[in-house]
Amino acid sequence: MGTWDVIRMTERNVTGCAKDAPGFHDSRLTAHDSKEIFIEVKDLTYIYNRGKPGEHRALSSVNLDVRAGEFLAVVGPNGSGKSTLARHFNAMLKPSGGSVTVAGMDTSSPDLVWEIRRCVGMVFQNPDNQIVSSLVEEDVAFGAENLGLPSEEVQKRVEETLRLTGLSQYSKHAPHLLSGGQKQRLAIAGVLVMHPSCLVLDEPSSMLDPVGRAELMENLTRLNRTMNVTVVLVTHIMEEAALADRVVIMSDGRIAVSAPPASVFAEVDLLEGLGLKLPVAAEIALGLRKRGFPLPEGILTIDDIVSFFSGSRTE
């Protein structure tokens, strides 16, 4: 199955994932107003090549709830199972044991696969693999056209999505002329145009430079905070994870920690034991505390450090 078979889905009326889903409804919610469980993972086990040579257990008895409107970051060392977990969220993979439900739909049910993929859009590492047209606006329109929408609605959605992702001025450009960060935004736009309730992104910034990464995170944060789009971000970059509402650390196919970023990055010994680093700002703050500077716990970004010292000077 190709990338676009996974991402470009047929539209159905599904509770919680219809075309007027919360992320695009006029009465938009904030991320913290919604308490509904959107993705529920129960005792999930996944085994690659089950019963064949090279059999490998990637996930073992994983339990996790993702709430509607949440920004969840999933981190962990290579081979920890984070990408395998994420690919269960839109039925790219089916559980070997346990269950995954999306908006109440069991991902193991063949009859619900397309409805689930209508709810949950996936964005992968290499945006070039998700570009299918010679113009930016045509590439964004591709998904909406596949839904069988009237041309007026397609145009409306394309314009809205280009605006949301900051690509309006590039609508007539060829995608290959875009920067890496702009291409990744185009990949996101190609999913957003179908109005999913949730975006799952698997290492989307791994091929981007720092400017591209900053652009990507700005867009994801805005979509989550202002449009109530649920975001699940698989990343190895701790500065990105620090911007999430909650961080899940995977280790050996299991969840080692699930907590707000400040709590997770306070577990310095655990992180070091897993071969993970603190966000740069948190590492700087830790070093300054060891040298006697009275920095509070919970500093995760450079802005946090600047704010602290700016406040100290005005006191």
Side-chain angles (χ1 to χ4, degrees), residues 15-214:
T15 302
C17 298
K19 59 185 176 183
D20 60 345
F24 293 88
H25 198 277
D26 288 338
S27 57
R28 291 163 185 154
L29 304 173
T30 66
H32 301 290
D33 289 333
S34 179
K35 302 297 183 182
E36 178 185 358
I37 294 175
F38 181 67
I39 299 173
E40 186 173 24
V41 179
K42 289 185 176 181
D43 297 321
L44 174 62
T45 295
Y46 186 75
I47 302 172
Y48 286 102
N49 299 316
R50 192 171 192 173
K52 301 176 182 178
E55 177 177 307
H56 171 64
R57 182 183 291 264
L59 297 174
S60 298
S61 301
V62 173
N63 291 281
L64 176 68
D65 292 338
V66 181
R67 298 190 176 275
E70 184 175 18
F71 192 144
L72 177 71
V74 182
V75 303
N78 291 337
S80 61
K82 54 187 185 294
S83 292
T84 300
L85 175 63
R87 293 181 184 219
H88 278 82
F89 294 166
N90 84 330
M92 285 187 67
L93 296 177
K94 306 293 178 63
S96 301
S99 66
V100 178
T101 57
V102 175
M105 296 179 288
D106 190 338
T107 61
S108 294
S109 175
D111 294 336
L112 296 176
V113 168
W114 296 114
E115 284 86 345
I116 290 168
R117 291 174 182 168
R118 165 67 188 87
C119 289
V120 181
M122 293 251 351
V123 178
F124 301 94
Q125 290 183 14
N126 189 347
D128 288 321
N129 292 339
Q130 297 178 229
I131 294 173
V132 298
S133 300
S134 58
L135 286 179
V136 166
E137 64 179 4
E138 291 177 356
D139 192 79
V140 176
F142 182 85
E145 290 169 345
N146 278 359
L147 297 178
L149 299 174
S151 58
E152 296 82 4
E153 177 64 17
V154 171
Q155 185 60 35
K156 177 182 176 182
R157 288 195 182 197
V158 169
E159 291 175 358
E160 173 193 40
T161 305
L162 288 173
R163 177 180 55 79
L164 286 172
T165 53
L167 292 173
S168 296
Q169 62 183 311
Y170 304 106
S171 62
K172 303 295 184 182
H173 283 51
H176 74 272
L177 297 177
L178 300 178
S179 69
Q182 290 165 343
K183 285 182 180 179
Q184 196 59 280
R185 279 190 276 157
L186 178 57
I188 293 172
V191 176
L192 283 179
V193 75
M194 293 175 289
H195 290 189
S197 297
C198 175
L199 278 179
V200 177
L201 304 102
D202 189 2
E203 304 273 10
S205 65
S206 62
M207 301 178 67
L208 302 182
D209 59 20
V211 173
R213 288 173 183 166

